[in-house]
Amino acid sequence: MQNHSIPIINHFVSLVSTKPFSQLLEEVEVIAESVITDLDLTVVKKTSHTFSPQGITLIYILSESHLAIHTWPESGILHLDLITCSTSTVNKFENSLKIALNQYDPFTIEVKQVSFDKQ
Amino acid sequence: MQNHSIPIINHFVSLVSTKPFSQLLEEVEVIAESVITDLDLTVVKKTSHTFSPQGITLIYILSESHLAIHTWPESGILHLDLITCSTSTVNKFENSLKIALNQYDPFTIEVKQVSFDKQ
């Protein structure tokens, strides 16, 4: 039985493996904003950091919680971390990734939902 | 066997239940910075949003990845999400939370590690 004192916290995580890709922040933003649009989320703030020699961290504070993307372009790895108070499902998250990453032709898109006993 | 093309991604998540607490951003920063110091992490950037009527999202980009805290003060709930490329363990994360949250006298601190098959 759900404990009603606990807020809705839907937490989805994905590890994507693809070919090595570009280090451009703008390209990671396109991926993130495709997911955000597809899941009907609302951006409050955005921040990012471009690491040297490679790797981008891009984080959106959402009115529903947050989306964080970390990339390792040289290894072809993206890690996506979405926490949302909106009603969503792991299948919807996975489908939004397939759309967002379509042009990267990923080898694998692994997806998990994280939940706690009390939720 | 670990696939060496996959970077180290240690992902720890916690759901904390305590008494209702204050809505002050500074108090959430004290919690976050205690965890960051205790786990020897390095802050690159910090961003936050204070929701109306209640709730704070506080996110640090770390040189090792990110720490995000979401709070529901009226329900006494904190959700912490740490991704780090540094070597750490779920036990170290849990201990850092016990120290950071000591004065809140939490009812429960649930902790999980998220990992994927290829890691």
Side-chain angles (χ1 to χ4, degrees):
Chain A
M1 192 174 77
Q2 188 163 15
N3 180 334
H4 291 287
S5 70
I6 307 288
I8 294 170
I9 305 173
N10 283 312
H11 190 176
F12 306 116
V13 188
S14 179
L15 185 70
V16 177
S17 173
T18 183
K19 292 184 291 288
F21 52 86
S22 128
Q23 167 73 350
L24 289 174
L25 174 61
E26 291 72 14
E27 295 190 11
V28 186
E29 288 178 335
V30 168
I31 295 168
E33 288 168 19
S34 173
V35 171
I36 287 167
T37 301
D38 201 47
L39 296 180
D40 202 20
L41 302 169
T42 308
V43 175
V44 173
K45 281 185 186 167
K46 175 170 75 170
T47 186
S48 66
H49 185 71
T50 300
F51 290 91
S52 176
Q54 292 208 74
I56 286 169
T57 291
L58 172 62
I59 300 180
Y60 294 77
I61 293 181
L62 307 169
S63 62
E64 301 84 5
S65 283
H66 83 254
L67 172 67
I69 301 187
H70 302 284
T71 73
W72 290 264
E74 71 283 16
S75 304
I77 299 290
L78 296 101
H79 185 278
L80 296 99
D81 184 48
L82 172 66
I83 296 179
T84 171
C85 303
S86 71
T87 54
S88 196
T89 65
V90 72
N91 287 343
K92 283 185 185 173
F93 178 57
E94 186 170 11
N95 286 336
S96 76
L97 291 179
K98 286 179 180 168
I99 293 165
L101 294 161
N102 182 49
Q103 71 177 45
Y104 290 83
D105 198 15
F107 306 137
T108 55
I109 300 178
E110 293 180 271
V111 177
K112 291 211 164 191
Q113 180 160 14
V114 185
S115 56
F116 289 91
D117 297 342
K118 290 189 175 171
Q119 290 182 280
Chain B
M1 193 174 79
Q2 187 163 18
N3 181 333
H4 290 287
S5 70
I6 308 287
I8 294 170
I9 306 172
N10 282 312
H11 190 175
F12 306 117
V13 189
S14 180
L15 186 69
V16 177
S17 172
T18 183
K19 292 184 290 289
F21 51 87
S22 127
Q23 165 74 350
L24 288 175
L25 174 61
E26 292 72 14
E27 295 190 11
V28 187
E29 287 177 335
V30 168
I31 295 169
E33 289 170 18
S34 173
V35 172
I36 287 167
T37 301
D38 201 48
L39 297 179
D40 202 18
L41 303 170
T42 308
V43 174
V44 173
K45 280 183 187 169
K46 176 172 73 170
T47 186
S48 65
H49 185 71
T50 300
F51 290 92
S52 176
Q54 292 209 73
I56 285 170
T57 290
L58 171 62
I59 300 180
Y60 293 77
I61 293 182
L62 306 169
S63 61
E64 301 83 4
S65 283
H66 82 255
L67 173 67
I69 301 187
H70 301 285
T71 72
W72 289 265
E74 72 283 18
S75 303
I77 299 290
L78 296 101
H79 184 278
L80 297 99
D81 183 48
L82 172 66
I83 296 180
T84 170
C85 303
S86 71
T87 55
S88 197
T89 65
V90 71
N91 287 342
K92 283 186 184 173
F93 178 58
E94 186 170 11
N95 286 336
S96 76
L97 292 178
K98 286 179 180 168
I99 294 166
L101 293 161
N102 181 48
Q103 71 175 46
Y104 290 83
D105 197 15
F107 306 137
T108 55
I109 300 179
E110 292 180 90
V111 177
K112 292 213 163 190
Q113 179 160 15
V114 185
S115 56
F116 288 92
D117 297 340
K118 290 189 176 172
Q119 290 183 280

